[in-house]
Amino acid sequence: MIPWGGLSCCLSAAALYLLGRSSGRDAEILKSVTRVNQLKELAQLLDAEILPLIVTISGRVSSETPINCEFSGLRGVIVEETAEQHFLKHNDAGSWIQDSALMLSMSKEVPWYLDDGTDRVHVVGARGASGFALPVGIEAFEESGRSLVRGTLDYLQGLKMLGVKRIERVLPVGTSLTVVGEAAKDDVGAIRIQRPHKGPFYVSPKTIDQLIANLGKWARWYKYASVGLTVFGAYLIAKHAIRYILERRRRSELQRRVLAAAAKKSGQNNDVEKADSLSDGAKKDRLMPDLCVICLEQEYNAVFVPQIKAGIWHCRKHFP
């Protein structure tokens, strides 16, 4: 039988090891990227460095045409709004269960840039970057109206409307961000940060040092978890192998003792004439060994005889 538990632990350990190596490699890559302290220095780097240029920059989110959020009242550059209808529905068992249905899912984004007071750099494709998450601007629940007619119709359909849950996620103007990506110039000469063809792309409120420390921490945790699962998986596999070896040895010992006992019984039966006078059942009993079939050590002193012509010889130590 294959030790699936041990193999699963070892495979999980291998996956965690690869994740740890990936996180550690990303941390080393972030350490090697060019750090731009002031955005005005980026133009000089683009003129002097060999492209593609992977840099890390920091600044505050700004836009010429920000979005005015309807519910939170914030001004942002990326807005995602969802609305879910929550209700109770009558199931086949006759009870009411809560459920929801998506009514609205909307996303808006306007051109935006980072500004540190010395210059501005446009950011492209931020929503696909690692570490990017839109903070929740507002989360509200609007109860459904208490109209008698509408409530009656819904009840006849097996529904009880509870209300609408609205969630508005916004990247507000003025948010401090750190961006790691490829610096390039567009057709009009404006500098932008975008996803490189090969390399890291991060958009996060954390600083570059915090990103490196976080990746290093996860790499260590993955390593420790991988070692732990490897040890546990090896223990399970070794336990299974030892039990298999002991079982094979026990079966071999059983076969050896049974054969030895049968040979001993056969060798002691030197009186051929007396053996010929015995019945077939008596001769069969003389050839059977005196060992308990469970422990293989003590002589049997009890026997269970079912209705068929067979028996199980055992000692009272196991079945008193």
Side-chain angles (χ1 to χ4, degrees), residues 116-169:
D116 67 346
T118 63
D119 204 349
R120 62 178 59 174
V121 175
H122 290 269
V123 181
V124 180
R127 281 191 288 186
S130 302
F132 180 78
L134 283 175
V136 176
I138 189 173
E139 182 175 346
F141 187 80
E142 302 174 357
E143 294 186 1
S144 298
R146 300 297 182 179
S147 171
L148 179 62
V149 177
R150 178 62 183 272
T152 303
L153 292 175
D154 291 339
Y155 185 82
L156 293 176
Q157 295 177 356
L159 300 174
K160 288 183 180 180
M161 296 300 174
L162 300 177
V164 178
K165 182 180 181 180
R166 298 184 182 275
I167 301 177
E168 194 175 64
R169 302 179 182 275

Side-chain angles (χ1 to χ4, degrees), residues 12-309:
S12 300
L16 290 175
Y17 174 76
L18 293 177
L19 284 174
R21 286 196 60 182
S22 177
S23 297
R25 185 166 53 249
D26 291 342
E28 293 299 324
I29 292 175
L30 289 183
K31 290 179 181 179
S32 64
V33 299
T34 304
R35 300 194 182 194
V36 178
N37 297 322
Q38 294 183 336
L39 295 181
K40 66 179 183 180
E41 301 173 358
L42 194 53
Q44 300 175 358
L45 289 174
L46 285 173
D47 294 336
E49 295 285 343
I50 300 176
L51 299 179
L53 175 63
I54 308 299
V55 298
T56 173
I57 61 173
S58 298
R60 294 189 177 275
V61 175
S62 302
S63 176
E64 300 293 343
T65 56
I67 303 171
N68 293 318
C69 299
E70 179 181 356
F71 299 99
S72 63
L74 299 174
R75 298 169 68 245
V77 295
I78 301 178
V79 178
E80 291 182 357
E81 180 184 348
T82 58
E84 292 181 348
Q85 176 72 59
H86 287 252
F87 53 87
L88 297 176
K89 65 179 181 180
H90 209 228
N91 61 7
D92 297 335
S95 58
W96 294 92
I97 59 174
Q98 186 172 348
D99 200 354
S100 63
L102 185 64
M103 296 174 54
L104 173 67
S105 179
M106 182 180 61
S107 178
K108 298 179 181 179
E109 182 176 2
V110 295
W112 59 281
Y113 53 87
L114 292 182
D115 192 343
D116 67 346
T118 63
D119 204 349
R120 62 178 59 174
V121 175
H122 290 269
V123 181
V124 180
R127 281 191 288 186
S130 302
F132 180 78
L134 283 175
V136 176
I138 189 173
E139 182 175 346
F141 187 80
E142 302 174 357
E143 294 186 1
S144 298
R146 300 297 182 179
S147 171
L148 179 62
V149 177
R150 178 62 183 272
T152 303
L153 292 175
D154 291 339
Y155 185 82
L156 293 176
Q157 295 177 356
L159 300 174
K160 288 183 180 180
M161 296 300 174
L162 300 177
V164 178
K165 182 180 181 180
R166 298 184 182 275
I167 301 177
E168 194 175 64
R169 302 179 182 275
V170 187
L171 179 59
V173 172
T175 303
S176 295
L177 289 181
T178 297
V179 179
V180 180
E182 180 185 0
K185 290 184 178 181
D186 58 17
D187 297 335
V188 297
I191 301 176
R192 65 182 183 185
I193 299 292
Q194 60 189 9
R195 175 184 292 276
H197 294 290
K198 184 178 180 180
F201 186 42
Y202 286 84
V203 177
S204 173
K206 298 179 180 180
T207 64
I208 183 64
D209 293 326
Q210 290 174 335
L211 288 174
I212 294 173
N214 187 60
L215 288 173
K217 180 185 69 175
W218 280 109
R220 289 190 298 272
W221 276 110
Y222 287 142
K223 178 182 178 181
Y224 298 150
S226 174
V227 172
L229 284 176
T230 300
V231 173
F232 186 64
Y235 163 75
L236 292 179
I237 293 176
K239 179 181 177 182
H240 182 273
I242 292 173
R243 291 177 61 180
Y244 177 77
I245 293 173
L246 292 178
E247 182 66 20
R248 289 291 300 271
R249 184 177 297 177
R250 183 178 181 277
R251 291 181 180 180
S252 177
E253 184 69 14
L254 171 63
Q255 185 178 9
R256 186 186 66 82
R257 290 190 179 189
V258 169
L259 293 177
K264 180 180 178 181
K265 288 288 184 180
S266 178
Q268 291 177 352
N269 188 10
N270 296 322
D271 192 349
V272 178
E273 294 180 357
K274 185 177 180 180
D276 292 338
S277 65
L278 295 175
S279 63
D280 293 338
K283 289 191 290 183
K284 183 178 179 180
D285 290 341
R286 292 179 62 86
L287 292 176
M288 291 297 295
D290 296 337
L291 297 176
C292 170
V293 298
I294 298 176
C295 64
L296 298 176
E297 295 176 355
Q298 303 184 26
E299 292 186 357
Y300 64 81
N301 50 25
V303 60
F304 168 71
V305 182
Q307 293 181 357
I308 61 175
K309 294 181 178 180

